[in-house]
Amino acid sequence: QVQLVESGGGLVQAGGSLRLSCAASGRTFSSYSMGWFRQAPGKEREFVARINLTGGRTYYADSVKGRFTISRDNAKNTVYLQMNSLKPDDTALYYCAAAVPTTAFDYWGQGTQVTVSS
């Protein structure tokens, strides 16, 4: 199993940047694909970005492509989400998740709030 703890959320003006971090427990972090999801009030949780075991492949939702960058540091058991050019529509609770490759995301953090003011 892996336990995940997100940090780095906060209040930022539109056009600003934030960097989210997700620290994972355990010694098998490099065995998990990692992802970021978000859930805005009154909406369903949606996929934001995903990164493979080595960090060599990344995938993004169309809504964040070109603005957000997912990365990982396996030596630090940490995955990051660099968010630039933030928009009010990016306001949500952001979750980090882990998945054994080719399976669904089974492990979730508690989330970190991102609020973008206009």
Side-chain angles (χ1 to χ4, degrees):
Q1 286 194 351
V2 61
Q3 293 183 329
L4 307 171
V5 179
E6 303 96 334
S7 62
L11 174 64
V12 64
Q13 289 187 334
S17 298
L18 282 175
R19 188 195 197 199
L20 305 184
S21 299
C22 173
S25 65
R27 295 175 292 177
T28 59
F29 176 72
S30 60
S31 299
Y32 294 92
S33 296
M34 300 299 298
W36 286 96
F37 293 76
R38 67 187 183 186
Q39 186 168 19
K43 296 186 178 181
E44 294 186 353
R45 186 164 56 192
E46 64 175 2
F47 167 77
V48 174
R50 179 175 183 145
I51 189 167
N52 73 340
L53 304 185
T54 63
R57 289 191 177 184
T58 56
Y59 308 88
Y60 298 94
D62 287 343
S63 59
V64 307
K65 202 171 293 183
R67 300 187 298 122
F68 290 11
T69 302
I70 188 172
S71 61
R72 67 188 295 163
D73 185 337
N74 286 346
K76 295 183 178 180
N77 283 9
T78 302
V79 62
Y80 305 97
L81 185 68
Q82 177 67 43
M83 305 186 296
N84 298 329
S85 301
L86 283 162
K87 305 174 182 179
D89 284 350
D90 295 317
T91 295
L93 188 60
Y94 283 71
Y95 296 92
C96 171
V100 175
T102 73
T103 69
F105 285 97
D106 284 333
Y107 305 99
W108 297 83
Q110 293 301 307
T112 186
Q113 179 67 39
V114 172
T115 303
V116 183
S117 63
S118 56

